[in-house]
Amino acid sequence: MLTHKQLSAFQMQLLKAKQDIEERLRHNDHFGKERSHAHDSVGELSSFDNHPADEATELYEREKDLALNEHTERELKEIEHALEAIRNGTYGTCEVCGKPIPYERLEALPTTTFCKEHSSDQTVSQKRPLEEGVLIPPFGKFDFDDRNESVAYDAEDAWQEVARYGTSDTPSDLGKNVDYYGEVYAESEENVGYVEDLENFAAVDLYGKNVKVYPTREHEQLENILDDEGIMSNIGDLPAYEKDPYTEKEDHRQ
């Protein structure tokens, strides 16, 4: 059983907590709950001239205020219930089994009127936001890179398509050197439409037909080298049957 001194100390602690909460709710208008709309808190008359992102920010802040208000009002009700138990002489005993609540539990949680075994908060919630199942790991269920022989257009590819036009990242964020800001995104060095750099412009398909040439810096660098050296290949001179048709055309021009 609690001594008179211990009971008085808990009562003073609860009264002080009640006063603080009531004063806080009074000063912040119950976290803005008394306002009819989030516009009231920012002085806006309409949503028409606002960016959707700004509207989303106001909505998030409104939802947060409602959650904080609900939590604080619940805390106030628990304090009032504990003070009522003190007035009735039942404070310190469990409402379910009637056994004394350990002093250490009351010291850690003065508002409780239940022992640990009969606490209403027995279950620890394991619920997680639904978005986690979609977005974790990065790009979540829509990332096919780890699937064997998968060439599907996935969420990462979609992000790279958009990121080519600019992101808020800087070269220092990536920890690597880039030539221009169009490369400042994850895996910007990844080839698009082909695998190896050489395959891009020096290969044909299974039937010997030329493949599409994708303009890249590697291709441009090779063309410049060949032009400067006056050769057609950097792997050696070409056979006559491949070189003559080109040289003959050049001779006719001269």
Side-chain angles (χ1 to χ4, degrees):
M1 295 294 294
L2 296 174
T3 64
H4 180 72
K5 183 177 180 180
Q6 291 174 336
L7 192 62
S8 297
F10 282 127
Q11 185 178 24
M12 292 297 296
Q13 184 178 353
L14 291 169
L15 288 172
K16 180 64 168 57
K18 179 183 177 182
Q19 181 181 357
D20 292 343
I21 291 177
E22 289 177 340
E23 184 176 357
R24 189 192 320 157
L25 292 175
R26 183 170 61 254
H27 283 302
N28 61 26
D29 296 329
H30 285 256
F31 291 92
K33 186 179 178 182
E34 297 179 3
R35 299 187 180 97
S36 60
H37 193 276
H39 288 161
D40 295 345
S41 62
V42 295
E44 293 285 351
L45 299 178
S46 173
S47 298
F48 289 107
D49 60 342
N50 291 333
H51 192 281
D54 294 330
E55 286 292 302
T57 299
E58 295 301 329
L59 177 61
Y60 163 76
E61 293 295 336
R62 184 67 165 175
E63 292 173 341
K64 184 179 68 175
D65 289 339
L66 293 175
L68 289 172
N69 181 75
E70 181 180 350
H71 174 79
T72 305
E73 288 185 346
R74 177 184 176 184
E75 184 180 4
L76 181 59
K77 289 181 179 179
E78 291 177 349
I79 291 174
E80 292 174 342
H81 185 68
L83 289 171
E84 184 179 358
I86 291 177
R87 290 192 293 269
N88 296 336
T90 59
Y91 185 80
T93 58
C94 178
E95 291 186 8
V96 177
C97 62
K99 294 181 179 180
I101 301 174
Y103 177 79
E104 292 77 14
R105 176 171 171 79
L106 291 172
E107 192 175 25
L109 194 63
T111 58
T112 187
T113 55
F114 299 94
C115 63
K116 181 180 178 181
E117 288 73 17
H118 296 101
S119 173
S120 58
D121 297 328
Q122 292 288 339
T123 303
V124 178
S125 176
Q126 301 296 328
K127 293 182 179 179
R128 301 296 303 167
L130 294 177
E131 293 83 0
E132 288 189 358
V134 178
L135 300 177
I136 298 179
F139 306 111
K141 298 178 180 179
F142 306 102
D143 182 8
F144 306 136
D145 287 352
D146 58 346
R147 303 184 187 182
N148 295 334
E149 299 181 359
S150 175
V151 293
Y153 186 87
D154 60 10
E156 183 184 18
D157 296 321
W159 160 248
Q160 291 171 343
E161 288 282 356
V162 176
R164 289 188 180 93
Y165 296 94
T167 70
S168 60
D169 292 335
T170 65
S172 61
D173 295 320
L174 299 181
K176 63 180 182 180
N177 296 325
V178 296
D179 294 333
Y180 64 101
Y181 270 84
E183 295 181 337
V184 184
Y185 62 90
E187 298 187 7
S188 60
E189 69 280 358
E190 186 178 83
N191 296 325
V192 178
Y194 58 96
V195 179
E196 299 294 339
D197 294 336
L198 182 63
E199 176 189 358
N200 171 39
F201 52 86
V204 294
D205 60 19
L206 294 176
Y207 305 98
K209 297 180 180 180
N210 292 330
V211 296
K212 181 178 179 180
V213 174
Y214 292 85
T216 63
R217 290 196 310 277
E218 291 80 6
H219 186 197
E220 183 179 355
Q221 290 171 0
L222 179 62
E223 292 288 350
N224 292 334
I225 293 174
L226 296 179
D227 291 342
D228 292 341
E229 297 294 332
I231 58 177
M232 300 181 61
S233 172
N234 61 346
I235 59 176
D237 199 9
L238 294 177
Y241 66 86
E242 291 188 14
K243 183 171 63 174
D244 289 345
Y246 295 97
T247 56
E248 288 175 359
K249 291 180 182 179
E250 190 67 26
D251 292 338
H252 287 306
R253 293 177 184 175
Q254 295 176 353

